[in-house]
Structures are given as structure tokens and as C-alpha cells.
Amino acid sequence: MLLSRRSLLRSGALLAAAGSVGGALAPLGSRPGPAREFVLWGSSSAASALARDRPPGFPEVRIDVLLSRLLEVPGTSRAVSGDVSSQTLALRSREHPYKVLLGRGGLPAHGTVVVPTADGRAPSALVAEPGTVAGVRCTIRGVRGREGVVALHRVVPGAALAPGTGPQSWWRTALQEAHRGQVHLVWTGKNNIAEHWQVLADTRAIWAVEPERTVVMGHWHTWRDRRGTARWEHVRAVNAAYRHEYGQRFYDTMADLRDPRLWALPALRPHRIGSSAEDRRWLAQGLPPRSVVAADRAHLNALGNTVLAHGLARFLTGPAGLY
């Protein structure tokens, strides 16, 4: 009997038998539908911010890159380091725009204009994100050192516009349409986890954009979130709510980081994840093993990203039923 790669991923056999970080053994075989691209939304963890933190000789591993290899579909990350859940929502949904106040100056014929927002919300200053104002293509980014202020850059010169200060002047994302029809992996809210009610509301609104193709990823406990801290309870509360609301489309990140079957990948086996005294101490405190966590104790390293990419592949081809 010929086994497809999808069936191997579902059974866990591929995870045990793979001979490399990517671990391709067999063609993916038939899928339940078209091979959709995927996109990761969120903050620094979803951006694989500490992918270069790795043991000697181990490669740099980004979650989106390795997951793309495992699923044999294109994938990318739209995550921005430092973003909170409301910023992820603004990039994902046109129904939750940045409320730009253009004022009398309006939108210039070309170039950049720096203006405030009505509610103080603004995107990161790290990335210029694509979108529109009054139908005109404009990128938006925050302005360093100026809270609630954004820089709008007109992509294509044209006639100056004066759309006023109401909804017609608000910036709306272009990413919703750019990624329509793809599989959406949402991993947001860790940076504002103390406002767990806001994280839940923002995630719900993100889910509503394309619920049939969206997965909500749970949060894992970092050292700051260890048992006995307020953040431990916040993470637990958010994950419990996610599990209840999203059912088979909830990905239990924490469970997979603590799964010895994933630690046993051939590429990971030499690193003996879970065997050191420090790993056992972290596991006893309800955390992932220390060896999959970066030096800052708040992000995954290349080993952790490898575990998570394989866990996601197993989940997406199994319980989620998306590949």
C-alpha cells in the first residue's frame, strides 16, 4: 500500500522517520481540495524573530519556511514584532481600519503626510503596510516616539484629495484581499495578554473574516508566564476560551512544544530535548523544555520553531482538515 505524505503526517510516522529538518519522505498525494497557500498573522513569535538562536551546527529555522516545505505549498508570515492583537486585526480586516485624521490638509498629490489617529491606535513603525485611503493606495506606518501618529505614503501620485476626518479618511488594509482564500494561522495577543478580554475580542473579529480557512493558535508559557504569576492565569484563560470557541480549529501550541514525539525528530534527537536538568525543571513548572526556548526566555529558538512547524503540519493535515 502506498502511503501519502499527508497520511504519514496524520499518523505521526513522518515525524518519527524524517531524515532532515524538513523531513520530506514521500509526495504529498491527494488533498481534500486545492493546495492553498498559508499566511501567519501575529507578532514576534509568528515572525520567528529569534530563528538565529540555535545550537552550533543547527540551521536557522523560520516557522513559515519550514511549514511551507512540509506542506509543499507556498507560505509566508505577515507578523510584526511587538504588535498587539488590535494591530494584527487592523492588518487582517478592512472592517477595523486605522482612524486617520487627515484634517484640512487632506491627502497630498504625492509623497508622505504625518497625521494623528482619532483613537490613538497606530501600527508599528517597523513596517510600511499596504492599504488605501478613500480608494487611493497608501502605505501606513507608525512614527517613532509619537504615540497615535502615523505616516501615510501615497503609492501612486495623483490629484490631491480632501476626504475630511470621517470614515472616508480612514486607512484600510490591502492584505485582506491579497490573502483571500488562503489558510490563515492566527497567533496574536501575547503582547497584550493581560488584557485577555481584548485579545479574545480581536481574535474573534479576525476569525470572522474567513472562518472556514482560519486556525487560532494558542499561546505558550514563557518564563514570565510560569506557574504562580498573573500571566500564567491570563495565558490559561485565553487558551481555554480559544479551545471552547474554535474547537478543531484551535491549535494547542503549548501541548506540541511539550510533546516528546516531536522532540524525537531525527534532526532534533542529538539535542536530547527534555533530558537535561534544566529542561526537566522547566517542564515541572508547566513550561516547554528550556532547550527549545531562546536566550531571552520569551521566544522560541530554531529547535522550538522546528518542533512547532512539524506540529502545525501534523495538525493542519489532521484535525484541522485543511490540507
Side-chain angles (χ1 to χ4, degrees):
M1 180 177 67
L2 292 176
L3 291 178
S4 71
R5 187 159 173 233
R6 179 168 164 257
S7 63
L8 286 168
L9 278 166
R10 281 185 170 179
S11 69
L14 178 57
L15 299 175
S20 67
V21 172
L25 286 183
L28 187 59
S30 60
R31 295 184 175 94
R36 298 188 181 95
E37 298 180 29
F38 69 83
V39 56
L40 260 169
W41 303 90
S43 52
S44 53
S45 291
S48 301
L50 269 70
R52 294 182 179 178
D53 188 322
R54 61 198 191 274
F58 198 83
E60 178 179 333
V61 177
R62 290 179 51 90
I63 296 168
D64 56 312
V65 173
L66 179 50
L67 182 58
S68 179
R69 288 173 57 194
L70 291 170
L71 295 176
E72 294 181 343
V73 299
T76 191
S77 172
R78 285 292 188 177
V80 180
S81 294
D83 270 9
V84 297
S85 57
S86 62
Q87 291 172 309
T88 305
L89 175 58
L91 296 184
R92 178 71 187 102
S93 172
R94 287 180 54 83
E95 298 303 313
H96 297 81
Y98 284 114
K99 299 181 178 180
V100 177
L101 294 173
L102 282 174
R104 293 181 180 178
L107 190 66
H110 59 85
T112 301
V113 60
V114 176
V115 292
T117 60
D119 55 6
R121 291 173 54 246
S124 169
L126 297 176
V127 182
E129 300 287 3
T132 60
V133 172
V136 175
R137 292 167 58 198
C138 297
T139 62
I140 193 171
R141 71 191 310 162
V143 177
R144 292 184 186 277
R146 300 182 64 183
E147 188 174 350
V149 176
V150 300
L152 291 175
H153 179 76
R154 186 160 180 163
V155 175
V156 179
L161 296 175
T165 57
Q168 65 274 15
S169 73
W170 296 349
W171 180 92
R172 299 178 189 275
T173 182
L175 298 180
Q176 178 177 330
E177 290 304 316
H179 293 290
R180 182 173 295 281
Q182 298 180 6
V183 171
H184 303 277
L185 309 177
V186 180
W187 199 14
T188 188
K190 192 61 180 291
N191 290 322
N192 58 316
I193 197 72
E195 300 171 337
H196 50 276
W197 60 90
Q198 188 65 57
V199 173
L200 296 176
D202 291 338
T203 302
R204 198 172 294 120
I206 293 170
W207 167 270
V209 179
E210 288 185 85
E212 68 278 12
R213 285 181 289 275
T214 299
V215 164
V216 173
M217 298 175 62
H219 296 293
W220 60 281
H221 291 274
T222 69
W223 180 254
R224 290 180 60 204
D225 313 320
R226 63 192 181 277
R227 189 178 283 113
T229 66
R231 288 175 61 91
W232 169 272
E233 298 301 333
H234 296 324
V235 172
R236 282 171 56 86
V238 167
N239 285 345
Y242 282 171
R243 186 185 301 278
H244 175 74
E245 286 197 44
Y246 305 111
Q248 288 189 319
R249 293 294 175 81
F250 165 66
Y251 174 68
D252 193 339
T253 304
M254 188 65 178
D256 272 4
L257 289 174
R258 291 169 57 92
D259 185 351
R261 292 173 299 174
L262 293 168
W263 307 342
L265 285 163
L268 297 176
R269 198 174 297 144
H271 301 281
R272 303 184 63 197
I273 296 171
S275 64
S276 71
E278 189 171 22
D279 275 5
R280 292 195 298 271
R281 181 166 66 91
W282 276 52
L283 287 165
Q285 296 187 65
L287 306 176
R290 176 67 181 90
S291 54
V292 305
V293 179
D296 68 351
R297 303 196 297 183
H299 294 86
L300 298 177
N301 60 17
L303 301 181
N305 287 343
T306 301
V307 169
L308 205 59
H310 277 272
L312 276 166
R314 180 174 63 178
F315 173 77
L316 293 169
T317 59
L322 288 167
Y323 290 96

